């Protein structure tokens, strides 16, 4: 399994997610570019944002995604995040109906209550993707979507750059970063019961070079990945092989 440490070209001191985002909160929205996630979401074809009645925003942070969803016509948004400082900023935006400090793998939100579950710029902080995909599946109603957008694994490998911010003294601080291949997402999503409805990979182009001229060397490389998953309307049929001999054709034994 590929590890971020194998590609780390910066060697910044690293802190855990809750500590890092608690320290970053003051400058977070001034340093995270909409091109990384919100502009990618806007280009997706499958989600009909305006038809969503209730969404669960997992890893809601300062409320950027929640505010964007409400601007697209989403009726109501509940948010969950690990970092109280981030939640305080989100609370001030007023885009969420409910905000919970908690684990994305066990949110405490009601099951099958949402027609959209969304997670933005979160997956690189998770050691294992499976719990997130399973929890999203639990929250989603039949036919609901799970939209996940984040850094592309190729970019993490090519740039050797962790998620990071400048500390109080101006020196860079990294936040725990994990590397998940596209196949890791597909494996976790399919295992949880999702059906892939759309996938989009965004490349570094003129828009990104204007924002970050030093990224010219990454031109035409994928920088973001978005996955749109749909929960089946009907539950998956049970695996006959797990039901014993009576499930074999004609009741034949082995």
């Amino acid at each position: 399994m590929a590890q971020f440490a194998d590609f780390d070209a910066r060697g910044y001191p690293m802190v855990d997610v809750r500590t890092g985002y608690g320290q970053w909160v003051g400058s977070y929205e001034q340093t995270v570019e909409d091109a990384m996630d919100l502009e990618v979401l806007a280009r997706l074809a499958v989600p009909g944002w305006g038809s969503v009645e209730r969404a669960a925003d997992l890893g809601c942070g300062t409320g950027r995604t929640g505010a964007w969803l409400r601007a697209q016509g989403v009726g109501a948004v509940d948010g969950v995040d690990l970092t109280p400082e981030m939640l305080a900023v989100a609370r001030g935006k007023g885009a969420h109906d409910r905000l919970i400090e908690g684990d994305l793998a066990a949110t405490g939100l009601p099951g099958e209550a949402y027609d959209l579950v969304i997670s933005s710029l979160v997956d690189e902080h998770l050691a294992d993707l499976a719990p997130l995909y399973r929890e999203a599946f639990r929250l989603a109603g039949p036919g609901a979507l799970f939209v996940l957008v984040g850094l592309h694994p190729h970019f993490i490998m090519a740039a050797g750059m962790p998620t990071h911010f400048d500390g109080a003294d101006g020196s860079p601080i990294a936040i725990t970063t994990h590397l998940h291949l596209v196949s890791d997402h597909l494996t976790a999503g399919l295992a949880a019961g999702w059906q892939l409805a759309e996938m989009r990979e965004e490349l570094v182009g003129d828009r990104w070079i204007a924002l970050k001229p030093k990224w010219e060397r990454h031109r035409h490389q994928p920088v973001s990945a978005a996955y749109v998953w749909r929960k089946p309307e009907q539950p998956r049929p049970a695996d006959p092989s797990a039901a014993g001999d009576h499930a074999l054709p004609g009741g034949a034994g082995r």
Side-chain angles (χ1 to χ4, degrees):
M1 181 181 295
Q3 303 288 333
F4 171 71
D6 297 331
F7 301 93
D8 188 358
R10 303 298 182 93
Y12 298 152
M14 191 168 287
V15 297
D16 65 87
V17 173
R18 189 169 186 172
T19 300
Y21 280 98
Q23 295 177 2
W24 193 3
V25 65
S27 60
Y28 180 77
E29 295 203 5
Q30 290 72 52
T31 52
V32 172
E33 302 291 352
D34 288 352
M36 185 65 73
D37 57 342
L38 300 183
E39 293 178 13
V40 180
L41 294 175
R43 286 191 283 272
L44 292 173
V46 170
W49 306 108
S51 65
V52 173
E53 295 182 3
R54 192 161 203 91
D57 182 7
L58 306 186
C60 63
T62 59
R64 288 175 65 251
T65 306
W68 184 86
L69 289 171
R70 294 301 298 271
Q72 310 314 304
V74 173
V77 185
D78 292 339
V80 180
D81 200 90
L82 185 65
T83 309
E85 294 89 346
M86 287 278 191
L87 287 169
V89 176
R91 217 167 268 117
K93 281 189 171 65
H96 294 82
D97 291 58
R98 181 180 181 188
L99 287 167
I100 296 174
E101 181 184 335
D103 188 338
L104 302 190
T107 63
L109 294 173
E112 297 198 345
Y114 301 92
D115 42 2
L116 171 69
V117 182
I118 191 165
S119 184
S120 178
L121 304 182
V122 167
D123 64 287
E124 75 269 22
H125 299 309
L126 304 176
D128 184 2
L129 294 174
L132 172 62
Y133 275 97
R134 289 195 296 263
E135 178 66 356
F137 193 85
R138 184 188 71 81
L139 297 176
L145 298 179
F146 174 37
V147 179
L148 184 151
V149 60
L151 277 168
H152 197 289
H154 174 90
F155 189 78
I156 295 175
M157 296 161 79
M161 182 171 60
T163 299
H164 65 280
F165 65 99
D166 288 339
D169 63 355
S171 60
I173 300 173
I175 299 176
T176 302
T177 299
H178 297 278
L179 178 61
H180 301 295
L181 302 179
V182 170
S183 61
D184 295 331
H185 282 277
L186 298 183
T187 298
L190 294 171
W194 292 104
Q195 297 173 343
L196 187 64
E198 181 181 2
M199 181 183 172
R200 186 176 185 95
E201 295 171 294
E202 293 291 333
L203 306 182
V204 175
D206 291 341
R207 165 80 168 129
W208 269 113
I209 303 305
L211 292 169
K212 296 183 178 292
K214 291 182 180 179
W215 284 19
E216 178 64 48
R217 65 191 180 95
H218 297 300
R219 185 181 287 274
H220 305 312
Q221 295 183 10
V223 60
S224 295
Y227 309 80
V228 181
W229 300 90
R230 190 184 305 277
K231 185 171 183 175
E233 294 282 353
Q234 300 295 330
R236 286 185 298 181
D239 181 359
S241 66
D245 291 347
H246 66 277
L248 294 175
R254 302 187 184 190

